[in-house]
Amino acid sequence: MRFVLVLVLLFFLNAFSQPKDDYSWMDKYFLVEPFNIYNIVMMQKTDLELTQKQIDAIKSEYDKYFPIMLGKARILKDKEEELRKLVYGNSDPEKVKNLIVEIAKLKSEMTVLDINLFKAVQSILNKKQNEKLIKYLTSGSL
């Protein structure tokens, strides 16, 4: 009985210690480190003095871009596994090359989507908010 209680306790500790929506695994599927602008802006929304209308508009943009990025990241994860299997096996070099080009294209698309989200969020902010945001990003003071 004690063993079962320990297992249940460990399960709950693990379940609550990790963020529910941890998508950090996606970061490796961009060409460069992602901006993660939504998280940054939401963490700084008080300091940026965002209005509820701005918050809603930013969330709307995020909801438009994020599912596309998530889908591409899942495809990339599968493509990289496929590449590993091809390389480990005796595969056709042309197949490997084509898959690498496909992976690079998907990573480029992910990066462009991330930049588009960044620019969409910037367009919602006023000049003062944008200046503060850029200061956060360039000074590393988040």
Side-chain angles (χ1 to χ4, degrees):
M1 181 64 175
R2 188 176 266 178
F3 178 73
V4 172
L5 286 173
V6 169
L7 284 178
V8 169
L9 180 63
L10 287 173
F11 170 78
F12 280 108
L13 286 174
N14 186 44
F16 292 111
S17 67
Q18 296 178 358
K20 183 179 179 198
D21 297 327
D22 182 10
Y23 294 106
S24 60
W25 63 271
M26 289 174 52
D27 289 356
K28 74 178 203 165
Y29 296 113
F30 294 86
L31 282 179
V32 296
E33 185 177 338
F35 289 99
N36 292 315
I37 193 67
Y38 178 78
N39 294 338
I40 293 166
V41 169
M42 289 301 120
M43 281 188 327
Q44 301 297 332
K45 66 184 174 188
T46 303
D47 194 42
L48 289 170
E49 300 175 29
L50 297 179
T51 66
Q52 189 58 50
K53 185 177 177 182
Q54 286 176 308
I55 292 169
D56 294 343
I58 291 167
K59 173 113 174 66
S60 176
E61 289 298 324
Y62 175 79
D63 289 345
K64 181 169 73 176
Y65 283 97
F66 183 75
I68 300 167
M69 289 189 284
L70 180 60
K72 287 187 185 291
R74 287 180 174 148
I75 292 168
L76 274 160
K77 186 176 181 182
D78 293 342
K79 295 287 181 190
E80 287 188 354
E81 181 59 32
E82 184 182 340
L83 178 63
R84 249 186 301 292
K85 287 177 182 176
L86 281 175
V87 170
Y88 294 158
N90 292 329
S91 60
D92 174 17
E94 191 64 25
K95 266 184 148 176
V96 171
K97 178 185 158 206
N98 290 340
L99 190 53
I100 290 170
V101 168
E102 190 177 349
I103 289 169
K105 182 178 181 271
L106 283 165
K107 285 189 175 197
S108 296
E109 291 171 5
M110 288 278 291
T111 303
V112 168
L113 287 165
D114 191 45
I115 291 168
N116 288 346
L117 175 58
F118 183 91
K119 292 301 182 183
V121 168
Q122 275 193 304
S123 73
I124 295 165
L125 304 178
N126 63 37
K127 185 178 179 184
K128 182 180 173 187
Q129 291 167 324
N130 265 304
E131 288 171 356
K132 264 188 182 181
L133 176 64
I134 297 302
K135 197 176 280 187
Y136 293 142
L137 296 171
T138 56
S139 70
S141 62
L142 290 173

